[in-house]
């Protein structure tokens, strides 16, 4: 029906594409509903868009195939399909290159991966979505040579107020999360990446960082090298996190490093960290009252920094 390609229907399609390309991720359902409406009215173009994408990108940028991997992307649905033909470093490297380049070209960051792979591997962190997106990055992380490429991807993907499209509720996570989590657990060299990530997340709509922070403390321990990063993680975690590092703060060196890290923070931030470690102001006051000398002074300073005498 050629006449359906003109007038009001064409306007619906145009508006749908603008929404899908430029509006926040939560508006995507509106854009898709408008395309569905155009399809029901007989628009062949609307149908093509759902199959081929918006046409914004060159074909070679949204479709890659070789003997080890197949990668295709559809920006209308914000989906990337990855077919891992061989479970090798090369296969995951090609897919990571495809994803990173795609994001650099403006592909929606609130996307999801449809993964076709013979493996079913996930990160050793509780509370994460069981999805193709999660599996892909967990499996790619098995290859240490790919870690620099995973960091490059993560830095391209991280964006405040965006989330992987196959997560919701308590499992919501900002794009780049799985790569950052895996790299942070694998090597302390990626702690700066972890800290940059924490500075971008929206803790009001995401809590998976709680589970990662617990796993990070368990993997690397609590010491002078890890405390600065753990503090950054705690600052952007929620009060519901169960972080069992109170015993580690019995070490005066650890307590001193913690105090150095929280000086200069807002009082509510210090109070939040005190709560996550000791369970609240009252418990910390009772502990400080039982101590003597330098340790009592440091605990008292933590209380003062949190706005309590």
């Amino acid at each position: 029906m050629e006449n359906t390609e003109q007038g009001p229907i064409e306007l619906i399609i145009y508006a749908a594409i603008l929404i899908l390309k430029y509006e926040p991720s939560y508006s995507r359902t509106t854009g898709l509903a408008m395309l569905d409406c155009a399809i029901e009215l007989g628009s062949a173009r609307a149908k093509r868009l759902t199959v081929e994408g918006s046409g914004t990108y060159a074909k070679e940028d949204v479709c890659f195939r070789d003997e080890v991997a197949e990668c295709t992307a559809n920006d209308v649905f914000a989906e990337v399909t990855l077919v891992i033909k061989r479970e090798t470093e090369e296969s995951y490297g090609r897919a990571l290159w495809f994803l990173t380049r795609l994001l650099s070209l403006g592909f929606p960051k609130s996307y999801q991966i449809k993964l076709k792979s013979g493996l079913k591997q996930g990160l050793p962190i509780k509370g994460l979505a069981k999805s193709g997106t999660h599996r892909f990055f967990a499996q790619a992380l098995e290859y240490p040579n790919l870690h620099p490429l995973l960091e490059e991807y993560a830095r391209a993907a991280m964006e405040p107020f965006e989330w992987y499209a196959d997560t919701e509720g308590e499992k919501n996570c900002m794009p780049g999360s799985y790569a950052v989590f895996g790299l942070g657990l694998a090597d302390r060299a990626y702690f700066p990446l972890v800290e940059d990530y924490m500075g971008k997340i929206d803790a009001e709509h995401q809590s998976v960082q709680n589970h990662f922070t617990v796993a990070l403390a368990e993997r690397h321990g609590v010491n002078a090298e890890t405390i600065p990063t753990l503090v950054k993680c705690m600052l952007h975690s929620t009060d519901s996190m169960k972080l069992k590092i109170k015993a580690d703060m019995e070490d005066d060196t650890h307590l001193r490093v913690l105090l150095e890290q929280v000086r200069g923070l807002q009082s509510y931030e210090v109070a939040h960290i005190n709560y996550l470690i000791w369970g609240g102001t009252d418990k910390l006051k009772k502990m400080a009252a039982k101590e003597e000398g330098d340790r009592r002074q440091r605990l008292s300073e933590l209380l003062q920094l949190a706005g309590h005498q």
Side-chain angles (χ1 to χ4, degrees), residues 32-49:
L32 292 174
M34 293 171 73
L35 282 182
D36 287 339
C37 179
I39 291 171
E40 290 178 5
L41 292 172
S43 171
R45 180 171 178 237
K47 181 66 174 178
R48 287 196 304 272
L49 287 171

Side-chain angles (χ1 to χ4, degrees), residues 9 13 31 57 79 109 146 168 200 263 268 282 308:
I9 294 180
I13 295 172
Y57 308 98
E79 289 181 356
K109 292 190 174 182
L146 295 182
E168 59 182 12
K200 292 178 180 292
R263 289 191 182 112
Y268 72 88
D282 290 342
H308 300 281

Side-chain angles (χ1 to χ4, degrees), residues 37-307:
C37 179
I39 291 171
E40 290 178 5
L41 292 172
S43 171
R45 180 171 178 237
K47 181 66 174 178
R48 287 196 304 272
L49 287 171
T50 61
V51 175
E52 301 172 2
S54 69
T56 301
Y57 308 98
K59 185 175 182 180
E60 60 268 22
D61 292 326
V62 293
C63 184
F64 169 84
R65 293 181 177 87
D66 68 5
E67 67 280 3
V68 298
E70 182 176 321
C71 314
T72 55
N74 186 314
D75 60 322
V76 169
F77 291 111
E79 289 181 356
V80 177
T81 300
L82 301 179
V83 181
I84 304 299
K85 298 178 181 178
R86 300 177 190 171
E87 296 294 336
T88 64
E89 178 182 305
E90 183 181 16
S91 301
Y92 285 93
R94 297 279 176 84
L96 279 168
W97 171 84
F98 178 84
L99 288 171
T100 305
R101 174 171 168 73
L102 196 61
L103 293 180
S104 73
L105 295 172
F107 191 82
K109 292 190 174 182
S110 291
Y111 77 101
Q112 64 177 311
I113 293 174
K114 299 291 187 181
L115 179 66
K116 296 182 181 179
S117 161
L119 300 180
K120 300 286 185 180
Q121 192 162 319
L123 293 172
I125 302 172
K126 297 178 181 178
L128 300 181
K130 295 180 179 179
S131 66
T133 309
H134 175 187
R135 284 173 51 218
F136 170 76
F137 291 106
Q139 289 164 199
L141 281 154
E142 289 298 300
Y143 303 98
N145 288 337
L146 295 182
H147 288 185
L149 187 55
L150 280 158
E151 179 179 14
E152 183 181 347
Y153 162 80
R155 292 195 178 280
M158 294 188 299
E159 188 72 34
F161 313 116
E162 298 282 356
W163 293 273
Y164 281 127
D166 51 6
T167 63
E168 59 182 12
E170 294 182 353
K171 299 184 187 298
N172 263 356
C173 59
M174 184 173 68
S177 293
Y178 304 122
V180 172
F181 293 171
L183 291 170
L185 293 183
D187 195 326
R188 294 183 186 182
Y190 291 103
F191 278 11
L193 173 65
V194 169
E195 294 183 19
D196 289 346
Y197 168 88
M198 290 294 169
K200 292 178 180 292
I201 62 173
D202 173 17
E204 291 187 8
H205 297 94
Q206 175 183 317
S207 60
V208 291
Q209 66 273 17
N210 293 4
H211 304 296
F212 165 69
T213 302
V214 171
L216 191 72
E218 292 175 350
R219 176 65 61 89
H220 295 292
V222 178
N223 50 61
E225 184 178 349
T226 62
I227 288 172
T229 300
L230 288 173
V231 166
K232 188 74 170 182
C233 292
M234 284 188 279
L235 281 172
H236 299 282
S237 296
T238 71
D239 286 345
S240 64
M241 181 170 63
K242 306 298 182 183
L243 185 63
K244 299 178 180 179
I245 65 170
K246 177 181 174 182
D248 296 288
M249 291 304 157
E250 295 295 327
D251 186 308
D252 285 341
T253 300
H254 296 169
L255 184 59
R256 187 183 71 252
V257 174
L258 175 68
L259 192 54
E260 291 171 353
Q261 292 300 310
V262 301
R263 289 191 182 112
L265 295 180
Q266 297 293 324
S267 60
Y268 72 88
E269 293 176 319
V270 181
H272 176 63
I273 289 173
N274 289 348
Y275 176 82
L276 291 176
I277 298 175
W278 287 284
T281 300
D282 290 342
K283 292 182 180 180
L284 186 55
K285 280 183 177 180
K286 290 178 181 178
M287 181 177 295
K290 296 177 182 179
E291 300 291 346
E292 298 179 351
D294 290 343
R295 182 169 177 81
R296 181 171 184 171
Q297 182 178 348
R298 291 189 181 107
L299 292 173
S300 296
E301 185 175 352
L302 279 171
L303 287 165
Q304 291 170 3
L305 290 170

